[in-house]
Each structure stands twice: as structure tokens, then as C-alpha cells.
Amino acid sequence: MMAGILMSLALPDPRWGLMVAVLLPALWRLRQVAMAWALLGLIVGAVNGVLWLDTRLPGACLGQTLIIKGRIDTLPTTELAVWGRWRVQAELVVQGLSDDQCKGPKRIRVSQHLDATQWDQSLRYGATVSGPMRLRSVSSQLNPGTLPDQARWAARTVDAAATVMGPLDQVAQSHW
């Protein structure tokens, strides 16, 4: 089965792997169990690829500023940026986008740049936020000068990244 999953990575489009499902009953009947398991792995890998393609950020949405609404799902990290401002980053579970054509990402990595006087506006864990954000793709292994963390984003189901471009409306969720 693992061989089939690895074979699915070599396909130019994961939908080709779904076509192998036609061969599976014939191989099972001919007692080619090892080949049938490999093809089953290929089908599982292809289904996973098709589901991943559905959550990707469409290319037409890259660089667009949209009103995004969602819930902050991770503890925000804070670091001092090179240019003297603070960068706050967290992951956001998307609840709504202002443009229907950009509906794909379910989870977005959000970056916010603040001065020291703007701490009251920083991202808060568990809060529901809404505001203008510019969409971009997550960094990848193919971009020179970036860390190879595409696999980490895929494992965490982060489908896109965004930068906060204006004031956010934040509503804190009450937890016991």
C-alpha cells in the first residue's frame, strides 16, 4: 500500500490515480493481492491529493486584500522584526471570505505588524477576528532563501498565509 501512495506523488494530476480504481476488482479476482494493495495505496494517495487541491488558494487570489473572518486557533507568537516593529503570527480557522472565488483555504497563517503602542490590537488566542488581510501562498521548498517548511504547513493543514492590512475587529470568546 505504501508503494501505491508513493506512486501517487509522481502523478502530474492526482485525478489520474482515481482511474486505477477500475483495475482493482480484476486484480483482486486474479489473486494479484500485492498489486491490488499497491493500487489501493495509489487510490488513497490520489484521493488525498484531490482533497488537498480543493483547499489550495486559487492563483487569482494571490495578493488580493479581502475581508476575512475567522477564529484564532493557536497561541500567537511575537518577535521583533528587523525594521523595528513587532510581528505577531497565529493560525486562523476561516469562517468567511468577502470574495466567493477565493473560498478554498480552511486554515490561514496570519501575520500582523505592530508598533509597541498598538499591543491592544494584537491577535488573541480564541478570539474571532474580522478585517482586511492580503492573501499569499505559504513559503515552499522551491523558494530560495526560505526554510523548507511546506511539509509542516501541509501537516498542520495550513492552506495559505495572510498579512493584516488594517484594523481588526476582535471578539474574545468566553471560556471557563
Side-chain angles (χ1 to χ4, degrees), residues 12 37 69 125 142 168:
W37 278 109
K69 181 180 180 185
Y125 174 73
L142 301 177
L168 291 177

Side-chain angles (χ1 to χ4, degrees), residues 23-152:
L23 299 174
L24 199 58
L27 288 174
W28 205 268
R29 188 167 284 188
L30 294 173
R31 300 182 194 269
Q32 299 292 328
V33 177
M35 183 62 80
W37 278 109
L39 289 181
L40 186 62
L42 181 66
I43 292 168
V44 168
V47 167
N48 188 33
V50 169
L51 293 175
W52 178 76
L53 283 175
D54 288 341
T55 62
R56 250 185 4 178
L57 182 66
C61 298
L62 292 175
Q64 283 191 12
T65 301
L66 304 174
I67 303 297
I68 300 175
K69 181 180 180 185
R71 183 178 47 82
I72 302 296
D73 197 38
T74 60
L75 288 173
T77 59
T78 306
E79 64 183 354
L80 184 60
V82 177
W83 53 88
R85 296 181 76 186
W86 291 91
R87 180 184 8 223
V88 182
Q89 294 182 323
E91 292 174 17
L92 177 108
V93 176
V94 176
Q95 296 172 346
L97 289 151
S98 62
D99 188 358
D100 289 341
Q101 293 178 344
C102 298
K103 289 192 186 211
K106 305 283 187 242
R107 197 172 176 88
I108 296 176
R109 177 82 171 166
V110 177
S111 297
Q112 184 182 34
H113 304 283
L114 301 170
D115 290 329
T117 60
Q118 298 173 313
W119 277 114
D120 58 332
Q121 300 170 16
S122 68
L123 300 170
R124 304 278 185 230
Y125 174 73
T128 300
V129 298
S130 177
M133 299 181 203
R134 181 176 294 144
L135 291 171
R136 64 182 193 279
S137 60
V138 291
S139 59
S140 115
Q141 296 173 341
L142 301 177
N143 295 334
T146 61
L147 294 174
D149 50 351
Q150 185 72 22
R152 177 177 52 161

